[in-house]
Amino acid sequence: MRSIHASVHQRAQWISNDSEVIDIPSYDKVFDWQSLMNKASHDVDHLKGKGQVASYIPELANVNPKQFGASMVTVDGSIFSVGDATVPFSIQSVSKAFSLMLAMTYVHDDLWDHVGREPSGNPFNSLIQLEHENGIPRNPFINAGAIVVTDVLQKHCTTACMLSPSSSPRRHIDGASDAVLELLQSLTSNDSIAVDEAVAASEKKTGHRNYSLTHFMASCGNILNPVDVVLDEYFKQCSIAMNCTDLSKVGVLLARQGRDEHGNRLLDAKIAKRIQAIMMTCGTYDAAGEIAYRIGLPCKSGVGGGILAIFPRVGAVTVWSPGLDSFGNSVAGVAFLDQLTKRSGFSVF
């Protein structure tokens, strides 16, 4: 069983391929992550299967709520897993962190002309705030904001993914959702990751509120592409199916401040920092304050039951359990991360 050890009297140094020395903060204890994951999973046994699945998306109503899995990928590539960590699930709004990554890479701070960076204080699909603020969504993780990000990405992503490792084969990108998909495939070396077309069709059939949001933003001049095109890409992006381990392999890019495990720069460090900041303040729907209080890590959740949590400069953890609380966050998933941070003593605070 592997563990990661570092002392506060030392600093781990990571040498990148361009000879830049990167300091990694270190901690005066041994983290036996597999044991910690096992114990945190046991701590929440009584919550597995609790909550309600996202039945407003008909395909997700059929998911077994008793499933539970979690996986951690550390900055050195070590993997620690429990439960159903290799079972694919609909990542839903977790995908918004990755579309934001790409959009910020293409257009940088120009993105913020179209979407804000503040917590909304309203449900993720609210129309009221959007109308009050003239079609500019409060942040990129509520539905309206994520649709704007998809719209921007749709305009700019006609070439191969800019964040793919140099060793990855490059290909033409067919729309915003394909850009997100290629990013996920390339960072995991898993070409089997795909859009669940049945879920995408289900979302399109029942996505009346998202159509309303997008048409309103278009009426305000804040949508660049045809509404139907943008929403098709958005629904497909949210319907990508992945497992916990692969999601953590992608998320660890943020934990490494934008570098791959060999030290190659894939994502600007400033973008990595800013995405994690928005994950902390806006990443868990209208419960971001409570999640920050309990867990103390940047997180992005989805109504498929997944939560991606970033342990900066240590690793990424994805937990999946389909039963949701009233905010749309996994009941067992939130509790698992709470226990994992309590047992490890790790948070950003």
Side-chain angles (χ1 to χ4, degrees), residues 42 125-126 128 182 196 209 220 227:
H42 178 72
N125 59 355
S126 173
I128 297 172
E182 196 219 14
D196 186 325
R209 181 67 64 93
C220 296
V227 167

Side-chain angles (χ1 to χ4, degrees), residues 286-302:
D286 200 23
E290 177 67 15
I291 300 298
Y293 179 82
R294 290 180 62 184
I295 296 171
L297 295 171
C299 294
K300 185 68 198 86
S301 61

Side-chain angles (χ1 to χ4, degrees), residues 34 125 214 237 252:
Q34 188 61 64
N125 59 355
T214 310
Q237 167 196 309
V252 78

Side-chain angles (χ1 to χ4, degrees), residues 107-336:
V107 302
H108 306 286
D109 284 346
D110 288 348
L111 179 66
W112 308 121
D113 294 336
H114 303 277
V115 61
R117 301 187 294 271
E118 296 295 332
S120 70
N122 285 293
F124 60 86
N125 59 355
S126 173
L127 279 160
I128 297 172
Q129 189 172 65
L130 188 64
E131 184 172 6
H132 180 69
E133 298 181 351
N134 300 313
I136 303 295
R138 185 64 69 90
N139 69 69
F141 289 154
I142 56 176
N143 284 18
I147 290 167
V148 165
V149 171
T150 296
D151 179 52
V152 169
L153 187 54
Q154 179 69 16
K155 181 179 179 181
H156 293 277
C157 66
T158 56
T159 56
C161 174
M162 295 176 66
L163 302 184
S164 296
S166 57
S167 58
S168 297
R170 298 298 180 101
R171 62 175 173 81
H172 179 77
I173 297 299
D174 185 22
S177 63
D178 196 38
V180 174
L181 185 61
E182 196 219 14
L183 172 67
L184 301 178
Q185 291 174 341
S186 65
L187 291 178
T188 59
S189 300
N190 183 358
D191 289 340
S192 70
I193 295 171
V195 173
D196 186 325
E197 297 292 350
V199 173
S202 182
E203 291 205 46
K204 183 175 182 177
K205 184 177 180 180
T206 59
H208 307 299
R209 181 67 64 93
N210 287 323
Y211 277 98
S212 297
L213 293 168
T214 310
H215 278 294
F216 180 77
M217 290 188 291
S219 75
C220 296
N222 199 27
I223 293 292
L224 308 173
N225 299 282
V227 167
D228 287 345
V229 171
V230 174
L231 286 174
D232 280 352
E233 295 298 322
Y234 175 73
F235 293 142
K236 287 191 287 186
Q237 167 196 309
C238 290
S239 300
I240 292 171
M242 294 176 67
N243 64 45
C244 292
T245 299
D246 280 342
L247 263 175
S248 292
K249 286 179 181 178
V250 181
V252 78
L253 179 66
L254 294 173
R256 297 191 190 105
Q257 305 302 298
R259 294 183 182 270
D260 67 15
E261 62 185 285
H262 306 295
N264 301 306
R265 169 69 63 197
L266 300 183
L267 179 69
D268 188 289
K270 292 179 182 177
I271 294 176
K273 179 189 76 171
R274 290 167 180 168
I275 289 173
Q276 290 176 81
I278 297 170
M279 289 172 70
M280 175 69 80
T281 58
C282 308
T284 49
Y285 307 120
D286 200 23
E290 177 67 15
I291 300 298
Y293 179 82
R294 290 180 62 184
I295 296 171
L297 295 171
C299 294
K300 185 68 198 86
S301 61
V303 296
I307 307 174
L308 171 66
I310 308 301
F311 289 60
R313 298 179 175 85
V314 173
V317 173
T318 300
V319 58
W320 169 59
S321 185
L324 308 177
D325 61 21
S326 60
F327 295 106
N329 299 309
S330 170
V331 173
V334 169
F336 171 84

